[in-house]
Amino acid sequence: MPDLWQEAMDHAVALARKAGGIVREALQNDMKIMCKSSSVDLVTKTDQKVEQLIIASVKEKFPTHSFIGEESVAAGEPCVLSDNPTWIVDPVDGTTNFVHGYPFVAISIGFAANKQLEFGVVYSCLEDKMYTARKGKGAFCNGEPLQVSDQTDINQSIIATEFGSNRDPEVVDKIFSSMRKVLCLPIHGMRGVGTAATNMCLVAAGCVEAYYEIGIHCWDIAAGAVIVSEAGGVLMDVEGGPLDLMSRRVVAANNKTIAQRLTKEIEAYPAQRDDAPINSKE
């Protein structure tokens, strides 16, 4: 049976590389910074330029495909995953890093058909690391195979997470409480590079045993989810159930033992679903 989506994946890799060039060039110039939901939820002209480039190119080459993009949704487009082939894109994952020149910025392109993720491409453009994975065909970084860590003892693990952009004191308290509980298991350490997509790729590469976060979006994790799975890892909800791409909650880990132990320490809190009706969103 021919691989239906290989042409789309090859196109995604080419687009990610081109987008990475735009990001690197923009770092040399002044950036126009705007805010979305709050003063810490940032968007730049580069985010918008990259997303427009990807949308235009996909529409030209695959006119029947659908699209979920961070900046499109922010502008009011619906965030709905249908059975139609769908590109799920974060044009600049790690915008705050980008604005400050912190050297971890990724272009994240996930692809789903019949609501099932088929491939993921994450280009960490300042490191020039191209992470790719196709369902059933393994995960790679710059062409080299990726394999998750074989560690099963959480006390010997490094765990990645992020603070997110929600500054509600009650939410921040829960974030710190979860971090304290995880750190005091004890574990070797906690890390976070400021981009969900890259954190997930670090799980796939075996550099960290797990990554968890509440408040991320489907475009942050769609590509990384395929890469983690194809590197031998597992994905689940922060309360232990199956991963729901639209729930804004994720645990990505090297194995079920680490993932399930981690979920016992995470204090969950509400986050409005990505696919909630637009008129019900804040």
Side-chain angles (χ1 to χ4, degrees):
M1 181 179 170
D3 186 339
L4 293 173
W5 307 124
Q6 189 59 49
E7 185 183 8
M9 183 171 173
D10 292 344
H11 192 60
V13 170
L15 279 174
R17 201 170 290 285
K18 186 172 183 181
I22 293 171
V23 170
R24 287 192 297 268
E25 183 180 337
L27 275 173
Q28 310 302 317
N29 304 312
D30 290 331
M31 287 173 283
K32 171 79 172 169
I33 304 164
M34 296 159 282
C35 299
K36 285 192 288 192
S37 66
S38 70
S39 64
V40 293
D41 187 10
L42 307 179
V43 60
T44 70
K45 289 290 187 187
T46 303
D47 296 69
Q48 295 166 332
K49 181 178 179 180
V50 168
E51 184 164 312
Q52 287 157 7
L53 162 84
I54 294 171
I55 292 174
S57 183
V58 169
K59 282 184 174 174
E60 182 181 354
K61 195 165 183 69
F62 305 102
T64 63
H65 289 191
S66 301
F67 198 89
I68 295 172
E70 178 175 11
E71 306 316 327
S72 306
V73 173
E77 292 287 327
C79 184
V80 178
L81 185 60
S82 68
D83 288 336
N84 201 49
T86 303
W87 297 63
I88 308 169
V89 175
D90 190 341
V92 180
D93 189 34
T95 301
T96 303
N97 287 357
F98 171 63
V99 166
H100 290 271
Y102 192 75
F104 297 97
V105 180
I107 291 88
S108 177
I109 304 176
F111 180 87
N114 298 310
K115 297 189 179 76
Q116 299 298 310
L117 291 168
E118 292 289 341
F119 69 74
V121 173
V122 172
Y123 183 39
S124 183
C125 57
L126 303 184
E127 300 180 280
D128 193 24
K129 289 185 176 179
M130 181 70 76
Y131 296 93
T132 57
R134 171 79 176 87
K135 190 166 78 174
K137 298 192 177 229
F140 303 86
C141 178
N142 292 345
E144 295 297 318
L146 293 174
Q147 179 65 43
V148 295
S149 157
D150 61 5
Q151 182 61 254
T152 57
D153 182 355
I154 199 158
N155 303 124
Q156 305 292 314
S157 300
I158 288 183
I159 307 299
T161 192
E162 298 289 343
F163 297 103
S165 59
N166 191 327
R167 296 296 181 264
D168 179 325
E170 287 185 14
V171 169
V172 172
D173 284 346
K174 284 186 179 291
I175 291 169
F176 276 108
S177 178
S178 296
M179 291 178 75
R180 183 181 184 278
K181 287 162 74 178
V182 170
L183 195 57
C184 292
L185 281 168
I187 60 172
H188 276 179
M190 298 193 84
R191 301 289 186 270
V193 295
T195 135
T198 306
N199 282 328
M200 293 180 83
C201 289
L202 291 171
V203 174
C207 303
V208 300
E209 275 63 45
Y211 156 71
Y212 74 89
E213 191 170 354
I214 299 172
I216 36 74
H217 295 276
C218 59
W219 47 79
D220 296 311
I221 63 171
V226 187
I227 294 166
V228 169
S229 295
E230 287 300 313
V234 299
L235 301 155
M236 64 177 63
D237 180 71
V238 295
E239 293 185 285
L243 176 68
D244 175 349
L245 195 63
M246 294 292 171
S247 72
R248 301 185 60 200
R249 297 150 44 125
V250 66
V251 173
N254 61 333
N255 56 54
K256 205 170 273 190
T257 303
I258 296 288
Q260 289 175 335
R261 184 67 189 86
L262 197 53
T263 61
K264 290 181 170 65
E265 307 304 326
I266 298 169
E267 290 194 28
Y269 57 87
Q272 181 132 42
R273 293 179 59 86
D274 278 331
D275 55 4
I278 289 173
N279 59 9
S280 76
K281 295 189 178 184
E282 294 173 6

